[in-house]
């Protein structure tokens, strides 16, 4: 855990700061820029490792003791989400119970798991299947969430076999909280949505503790509260192929910014990049995008959509984004070209 005051940072120091936070799972943080702006009190910043990533809490304009107490509570709320949703480690939870259940066996989920699974199924439908919370068997086979990255891609046969274990049409909510699967080997995986949900729970706690201005940044997934002094927060978007920001935008009020990229967990094999965002139609890493950044009202929505819009690519993705209220997106497509939704174009400053 790191903590302390950070009164003011420039774009340059942000860049080096986020590089310093790069860690053994290869997560490169999308930069958070607290520009040098006058605030009544210096920022309070604290870093924790959880949810398989580095989580940075930044609170502005609050006495240090109050800010640290709020961060402590928010971190505990986020750890509770991790415990409820993780499929890693020895902790028992209801996600693992459903994953281990036999076909047709009724499993009672924790209320927050039941609620997020319903949302996840709705996102699967909204994104024409690009976001799929039932890909767990295939994701595990690819092995991007382990401590050691794989070095060789799966074969077509291996992918076909694991893909056959997935599908939201094979899970059913038979009554409140209670779900069954049709396929014993179907595995839920909340890796593309639970980090956002944890951030939302953390922000809810910060608010209850009186925080008006602050940011929770979990490995590039952020929710932004209020302002930084008299100005909006300035958020940098990571370039997917350079150790530098692609650009920045100013954000204030309550908004979330989440990035999914092919540069976080990947390996190269015979000149081809294999990464952790899987196209549910093919079972292989999606090929249309290098990174996508989504702005949305909640981190849960932005997280689910960032993964889906990565898979859909800019053309199909833009058509979807333009139908969603208060959602904006920026893609760096696989040819390195930047594409933006209309609302993003008015906010984004390229560097
Ligand atoms: P996102 O794009 O948001 O999500 C990608 C992840 O979602 C993939 O890793 C895969 O798990 C899944 N996925 C891939 N394709 C799709 C798709 N089309 N639709 C839906 N889902 C898809 N990492 C560790 O290394 N160790 C841990 O102990 C650990 N614990 C975690 C506990 C929790 C509760 C969560 C939420 C994450 C944890 N992680 C852990 C990280 C996790 O394994 C993922 O790597 C991470 O969530 C990916 O997030 P992202 O923002 O990089 O990408
Ligand atoms: Mg996501």
């Amino acid at each position: 855990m790191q903590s302390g005051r950070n009164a003011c940072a420039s774009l340059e120091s942000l860049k080096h700061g986020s590089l310093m936070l790069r860690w053994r799972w290869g997560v490169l943080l999308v930069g958070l820029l607290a520009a040098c702006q006058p605030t009544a009190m210096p920022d309070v910043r604290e870093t924790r490792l959880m949810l398989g990533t580095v989580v940075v809490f930044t609170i502005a304009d609050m006495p240090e003791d109050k800010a640290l107490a709020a961060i402590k509570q928010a971190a505990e709320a986020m750890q509770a989400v991790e415990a409820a949703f993780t499929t890693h480690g020895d902790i028992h939870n209801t996600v693992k119970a459903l994953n281990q259940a036999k076909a047709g066996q009724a499993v009672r989920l924790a209320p927050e798991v039941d609620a997020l699974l319903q949302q996840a199924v709705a996102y699967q439908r909204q994104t024409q299947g690009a976001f799929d919370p039932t890909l767990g068997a295939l994701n595990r086979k690819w092995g991007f969430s382990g401590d050691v990255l794989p070095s060789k891609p799966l074969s077509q046969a291996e992918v076909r076999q694991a893909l056959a274990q997935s599908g939201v049409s094979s899970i059913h909510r038979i009554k409140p909280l209670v779900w069954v699967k049709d396929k014993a080997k179907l595995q839920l995986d909340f890796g593309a949505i639970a980090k956002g949900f944890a951030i939302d729970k953390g922000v809810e706690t910060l608010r209850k503790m009186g925080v008006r201005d602050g940011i929770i940044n979990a490995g590039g997934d952020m929710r932004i509260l209020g302002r930084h002094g008299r100005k909006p927060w300035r958020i940098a978007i990571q370039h997917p192929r350079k150790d530098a920001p692609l650009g920045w935008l100013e954000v204030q009020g309550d908004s979330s910014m989440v990035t999914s990229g092919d540069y976080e967990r990947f390996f190269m094999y015979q000149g081809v990049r294999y990464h952790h965002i899987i196209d549910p139609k093919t079972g292989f890493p999606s090929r249309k995008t290098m990174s996508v950044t989504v702005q949305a009202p909640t981190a849960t929505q932005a997280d689910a959509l960032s993964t889906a819009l990565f898979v859909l690519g800019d053309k199909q993705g833009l058509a979807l984004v333009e139908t969603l209220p208060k959602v904006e997106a920026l893609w760096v497509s696989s040819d390195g070209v930047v594409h933006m939704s209309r609302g993003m174009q008015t906010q984004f400053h390229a560097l």
Side-chain angles (χ1 to χ4, degrees):
M1 181 177 83
Q2 299 168 2
S3 75
R5 294 263 183 195
N6 187 332
C8 149
S10 68
L11 243 184
E12 263 323 282
S13 65
L14 153 75
K15 193 175 101 186
H16 297 303
S18 48
L19 289 179
M20 279 163 51
L21 288 172
R22 201 200 297 235
W23 75 324
R24 68 194 174 96
W25 285 314
V27 174
L28 181 59
L29 296 185
V30 170
L32 145 66
L33 173 60
C36 187
Q37 297 154 7
T39 51
M41 280 170 275
D43 295 349
V44 177
R45 185 165 299 167
E46 190 156 312
T47 302
R48 305 277 177 110
L49 293 183
M50 61 174 117
L51 297 153
T53 194
V54 180
V55 181
V56 183
F57 299 84
T58 305
I59 294 185
D61 268 340
M62 197 177 204
E64 187 173 22
D65 57 339
K66 287 209 168 79
L68 289 174
I71 289 171
K72 184 170 177 289
Q73 298 259 321
E76 281 170 14
M78 293 176 73
Q79 269 154 355
V81 173
E82 175 172 15
F85 287 92
T86 191
T87 53
H88 298 257
D90 299 330
I91 299 174
H92 180 72
N93 61 33
T94 60
V95 174
K96 288 182 182 171
L98 188 56
N99 283 350
Q100 288 156 9
K102 298 189 183 89
Q105 181 186 340
V107 176
R108 176 176 288 269
L109 298 181
E112 66 273 26
V113 176
D114 174 53
L116 195 62
L117 184 52
Q118 289 178 73
Q119 276 193 62
V121 169
Y123 284 125
Q124 193 274 348
R125 298 208 173 102
Q126 184 179 60
T127 63
Q128 297 111 48
F131 172 89
D132 189 337
T134 68
L135 280 185
L138 180 60
N139 291 333
R140 191 167 302 172
K141 216 161 208 172
W142 273 108
F144 286 103
S145 283
D147 277 355
V148 182
L149 281 173
S151 54
K152 219 174 135 227
L154 298 177
S155 68
Q156 287 281 358
E158 286 172 307
V159 165
R160 240 192 335 269
Q161 201 184 28
L163 208 49
Q165 312 302 335
S166 70
V168 292
S169 58
S170 296
I171 48 171
H172 313 280
R173 189 174 189 262
I174 55 171
K175 58 181 176 181
L177 304 180
V178 181
W179 291 71
V180 291
K181 339 180 259 188
D182 295 339
K183 301 168 181 168
K185 289 188 180 157
L186 185 145
Q187 304 287 293
L188 297 179
D189 177 351
F190 289 90
I193 189 169
K195 213 170 0 145
F197 182 68
I199 294 170
D200 288 337
K201 288 289 170 199
V203 159
E204 204 178 292
T205 308
L206 289 183
R207 276 226 181 88
K208 278 190 197 142
M209 299 287 288
V211 173
R212 278 175 321 169
D213 304 302
I215 297 184
I216 299 181
N217 179 354
D221 294 9
M222 299 182 209
R223 185 146 163 194
I224 298 121
L225 285 177
R227 294 159 73 83
H228 193 230
R230 293 195 299 271
K231 295 188 182 169
W233 292 95
R234 192 171 279 190
I235 307 295
I237 296 176
Q238 175 65 42
H239 194 297
R241 292 291 180 271
K242 295 181 190 164
D243 281 343
L246 179 75
W248 56 274
L249 59 162
E250 289 188 329
V251 181
Q252 65 183 344
D254 186 1
S255 183
S256 292
M257 301 271 302
V258 169
T259 297
S260 284
D262 68 359
Y263 53 91
E264 291 169 342
R265 294 176 191 233
F266 73 95
F267 64 90
M268 300 298 291
Y269 183 77
Q270 297 182 340
V272 179
R273 180 182 291 253
Y274 291 85
H275 59 83
H276 72 313
I277 303 173
I278 306 298
D279 183 341
K281 287 206 168 75
T282 64
F284 280 84
S286 180
R287 294 272 161 241
K288 294 179 183 157
T289 314
M290 290 182 187
S291 73
V292 60
T293 299
V294 177
Q295 185 175 19
T298 67
T300 305
Q301 185 184 20
D303 194 5
L305 286 178
S306 74
T307 308
L309 295 174
F310 185 102
V311 171
L312 289 173
D314 57 283
K315 286 187 187 65
Q316 244 186 303
L318 266 172
L320 173 62
V321 166
E322 299 298 4
T323 67
L324 301 175
K326 296 188 182 163
V327 175
E328 304 298 342
L330 179 152
W331 287 257
V332 181
S333 54
S334 50
D335 54 7
V337 177
V338 173
H339 306 268
M340 288 179 264
S341 61
R342 277 198 294 273
M344 186 62 86
Q345 285 169 28
T346 62
Q347 300 179 71
F348 181 69
H349 302 267
L351 285 171

